[in-house]
């Protein structure tokens, strides 16, 4: 092979690796949001689609003319660590009300290529009034308008809604606000990632709370792995071949490895652990990691991927961009020093100690319940990035937490500044893919 051909092949490998990590962080990539990234994915869409299909069993759709790429990331065990977030209010997670409004609003938008905020609100009012399982939507109330605006801003961030005239936020102050939208119905239909449509699992509303976990499992059950599925009328007769079993094992292990900050052996099922430690499984794992441009760290406790360029990172740790994230790092010291874990009251005391040490820091937590809230928020971050776990009534440090060591804490010079912290450890080791 000529030198030029080698250079071209190397450039393609590097571009594919970069595009893989880009899509892992942003499964919905639009040309409007990232023209350079979208152009890269557009040019390398064929090898990208093959890699995601073989490695994770995820489908990649690239629409060059419509300006978006959608990677449908399916998880066998969905969790709440990546909630939809509000564009306002410190990017707080969506609550139940906002998720309901999101679903109803999306359903109403399917038949509306153009709409105004008032017309859409009226459609949502009518739709929710017609469903006895839903609480009515009342745009006269400011909290309801705020929730509706959070939903619309989320859809704007997905490029499903494009503002033609006006500003969405003005609806918070007045239900008479004038905002005109263009709707991308095709992109809207690409948003759901579940392989089974929710409408195919229709059950009486009163049964949903009791059967929620069952219904959630049915939404993400994939027929290609064999066994019973939501469509099987004779589930007991469904069979799984060796090829289907191996396919399921490969996808289940690699999905978690490429989508989580760390993969612990203790969290794998017996057959998954056998697969990833087999000769074939290890070869596939290492080859896939190399093709995606990650560095693989393998320990007795599990596996960790490091992105040297931080392209795939959607949540950083350590990170000093918020009070709770700084507190999460500071809490690792007492957690790691107590292998048995800390009780809620011990965590609250640790939070109180942080507030005493840095009296000008964490203004939002300077209240009677502040230490408890600070500890709760910090623990939630540690749980999300795989550095802590709950064991009955305690929070315990997981093996990856011991990679961090606080080497310096500097009290604030101006009393309003947060404490400056320095850690020892590998760069990017806490990144969440």
């Amino acid at each position: 092979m000529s030198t030029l051909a080698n250079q071209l092949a190397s450039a393609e490998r590097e571009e594919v690796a970069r595009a893989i990590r880009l899509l892992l962080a942003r499964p919905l990539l639009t040309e409007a949001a990232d023209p350079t990234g979208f152009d890269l994915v557009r040019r390398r869409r064929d090898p990208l689609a093959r890699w995601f299909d073989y490695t994770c069993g995820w489908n990649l759709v690239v629409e060059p003319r419509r300006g978006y790429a959608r990677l449908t990331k399916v998880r066998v065990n969905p969790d709440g660590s990546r909630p939809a977030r509000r564009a306002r209010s410190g990017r707080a997670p969506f609550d139940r009300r906002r998720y309901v409004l999101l679903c109803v609003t999306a359903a109403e938008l399917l038949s509306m290529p153009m709409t105004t905020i008032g017309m859409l609100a009226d459609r949502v009012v009518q739709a929710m009034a017609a469903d006895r399982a839903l609480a009515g939507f009342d745009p006269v109330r400011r909290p309801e308008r705020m929730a509706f605006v959070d939903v619309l801003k989320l859809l704007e961030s997905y490029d499903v809604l494009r503002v033609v005239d006006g500003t969405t936020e003005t609806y918070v102050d007045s239900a008479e606000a004038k905002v005109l939208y263009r709707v991308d119905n095709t992109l809207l239909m690409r948003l759901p990632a579940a392989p089974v449509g929710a409408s195919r699992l229709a059950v009486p509303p009163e049964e949903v709370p009791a059967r929620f976990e069952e219904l959630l499992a049915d939404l993400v059950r994939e027929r290609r792995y064999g066994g019973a599925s939501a469509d099987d009328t004779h589930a007991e007769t469904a069979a799984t071949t060796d090829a289907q079993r191996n396919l399921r094992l490969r996808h289940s292990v690699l999905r978690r490895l490429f989508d989580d900050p760390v993969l612990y052996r203790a969290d794998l099922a017996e057959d998954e652990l056998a697969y990833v430690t087999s000769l074939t499984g290890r070869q596939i794992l290492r080859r896939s990691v190399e093709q995606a441009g990650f560095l693989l760290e393998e320990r007795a406790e599990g596996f960790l991927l490091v992105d040297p360029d931080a392209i795939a990172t959607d949540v950083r740790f350590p990170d000093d961009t918020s009070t709770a994230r700084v507190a999460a790092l500071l809490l690792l010291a007492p957690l790691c020093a107590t292998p048995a874990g800390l009780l809620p009251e011990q965590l609250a005391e640790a939070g109180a100690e942080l507030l005493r040490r840095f009296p000008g820091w964490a203004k939002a937590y300077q209240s009677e319940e502040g230490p408890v809230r600070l500890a709760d928020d910090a623990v939630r971050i540690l749980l999300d990035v795989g550095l802590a776990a709950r064991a009955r009534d305690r929070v315990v440090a997981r093996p990856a937490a011991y990679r961090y060591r606080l080497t310096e804490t500097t009290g604030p010079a101006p009393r309003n500044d947060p404490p400056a912290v320095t850690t020892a450890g590998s760069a990017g080791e806490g990144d969440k893919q």
Side-chain angles (χ1 to χ4, degrees):
M1 185 180 292
S2 67
T3 302
L4 177 59
N6 283 330
Q7 291 174 343
L8 292 174
S10 177
E12 179 178 358
R13 287 193 299 270
E14 291 177 2
E15 289 189 349
V16 169
R18 185 178 184 85
I20 288 172
R21 286 173 285 154
L22 184 63
L23 287 166
L24 286 172
R26 301 173 64 180
L28 176 59
L29 182 65
T30 64
E31 186 176 21
D34 186 354
T36 302
F38 177 76
D39 182 64
L40 174 62
V41 170
R42 177 190 59 78
R43 287 187 290 104
R44 300 302 184 188
R45 59 186 180 274
D46 290 338
L48 286 171
R50 289 194 297 270
W51 188 91
F52 279 113
D53 179 64
Y54 177 83
T55 304
C56 301
W58 290 335
N59 185 47
L60 173 65
V61 175
V62 181
E63 293 285 357
R65 293 184 179 181
R66 304 193 73 92
Y68 71 83
R70 175 65 168 128
L71 176 66
T72 52
K73 296 167 69 173
V74 181
R75 292 287 298 264
V76 176
N77 299 306
D79 61 44
S81 63
R82 295 174 177 87
R85 294 190 177 275
R86 312 174 200 182
R88 307 170 303 109
S89 307
R91 293 192 55 76
F94 267 33
D95 52 18
R96 182 185 181 90
R97 183 59 172 171
R98 284 166 171 79
Y99 278 120
V100 170
L101 281 172
L102 174 61
C103 293
V104 176
T105 300
E108 293 303 315
L109 285 171
L110 282 174
S111 61
M112 305 172 71
M114 297 284 291
T115 186
T116 65
I117 198 168
M119 290 173 57
L120 182 58
D122 290 342
R123 291 278 293 266
V124 172
V125 168
Q126 296 170 17
M128 297 183 75
D131 193 327
R132 60 189 176 89
L134 302 178
F137 174 57
D138 183 6
V140 173
R141 299 179 56 241
R142 182 182 174 87
E144 290 279 78
R145 296 199 304 273
M146 292 175 64
F148 190 50
V149 165
D150 288 333
V151 167
L152 298 180
K153 293 298 293 182
L154 180 69
L155 293 173
E156 284 182 43
S157 72
Y158 293 155
D159 224 26
V160 166
L161 285 181
R162 294 187 182 182
V163 177
V164 177
D165 186 41
T167 305
T168 302
E169 288 86 345
T170 58
Y171 190 73
V172 172
D173 296 321
S174 172
E176 303 302 319
K178 307 299 182 183
V179 189
L180 178 64
Y181 299 105
R182 180 177 290 111
V183 185
D184 190 331
N185 312 98
T186 304
L187 180 54
L188 177 61
M189 290 188 289
R190 292 287 187 191
L191 293 185
V196 178
S199 61
R200 292 160 65 182
L201 303 177
V203 296
E206 61 272 12
E207 295 183 18
V208 171
R211 298 177 57 186
F212 182 77
E213 295 299 328
E214 170 197 343
L215 295 172
L216 190 60
D218 284 340
L219 284 174
V220 296
R221 184 169 287 124
E222 297 168 83
R223 300 183 65 181
R224 61 179 158 182
Y225 302 135
S229 74
D231 295 334
D232 289 328
T233 54
H234 303 287
E236 68 278 2
T237 65
T240 302
T241 66
D242 288 342
Q244 288 173 320
R245 177 179 175 275
N246 288 332
L247 184 67
R248 177 185 62 80
L249 290 173
R250 180 171 80 231
H251 289 168
S252 63
V253 170
L254 294 181
R255 282 175 179 180
R256 294 170 67 178
L257 181 66
F258 284 105
D259 209 30
D260 287 330
V262 61
L263 177 60
Y264 293 103
R265 296 176 191 266
D267 293 340
L268 295 173
E270 186 176 343
D271 56 352
E272 292 175 326
L273 183 59
Y275 175 82
V276 80
T277 54
S278 68
L279 178 60
T280 300
R282 290 173 68 86
Q283 288 176 339
I284 292 174
L285 183 151
R286 290 178 176 175
R287 184 173 66 246
S288 300
V289 168
E290 181 182 358
Q291 290 170 340
F294 287 103
L295 301 177
L296 175 66
E297 293 192 11
E298 185 173 353
R299 298 288 185 268
E301 299 85 4
F303 309 88
L304 182 146
L305 294 187
V306 177
D307 180 359
D309 303 310
I311 298 170
T313 303
D314 63 342
V315 175
R316 293 178 180 272
F317 190 88
D319 186 3
D320 60 0
T321 58
S322 75
T323 299
R325 294 187 181 281
V326 173
L329 178 61
L330 295 173
L331 276 184
L332 282 181
L335 273 176
C336 292
T338 314
L342 297 178
L343 293 165
E345 52 268 29
Q346 293 174 306
L347 289 166
E349 177 54 35
E353 174 61 22
L354 291 178
L355 295 174
R356 285 193 293 268
R357 287 173 60 190
F358 308 105
W361 171 64
K363 293 280 185 153
Y365 296 93
Q366 299 288 349
S367 64
E368 183 177 350
E369 297 298 322
V372 174
R373 291 190 296 108
L374 181 63
D376 287 346
D377 290 346
V379 166
R380 189 175 302 112
I381 290 169
L382 294 176
L383 294 173
D384 286 349
V385 297
L387 298 180
R390 295 193 185 277
R392 296 185 180 178
D393 55 347
R394 295 174 182 266
V395 174
V396 298
R398 304 208 71 180
Y402 294 88
R403 298 168 58 85
Y404 299 90
R405 185 174 72 256
L406 192 66
T407 58
E408 182 181 359
T409 305
T410 306
R415 292 173 58 88
N416 292 334
D417 290 346
V421 295
T422 305
T423 61
S426 302
E429 62 195 9
D431 291 352
K432 185 170 188 175
Q433 275 71 48

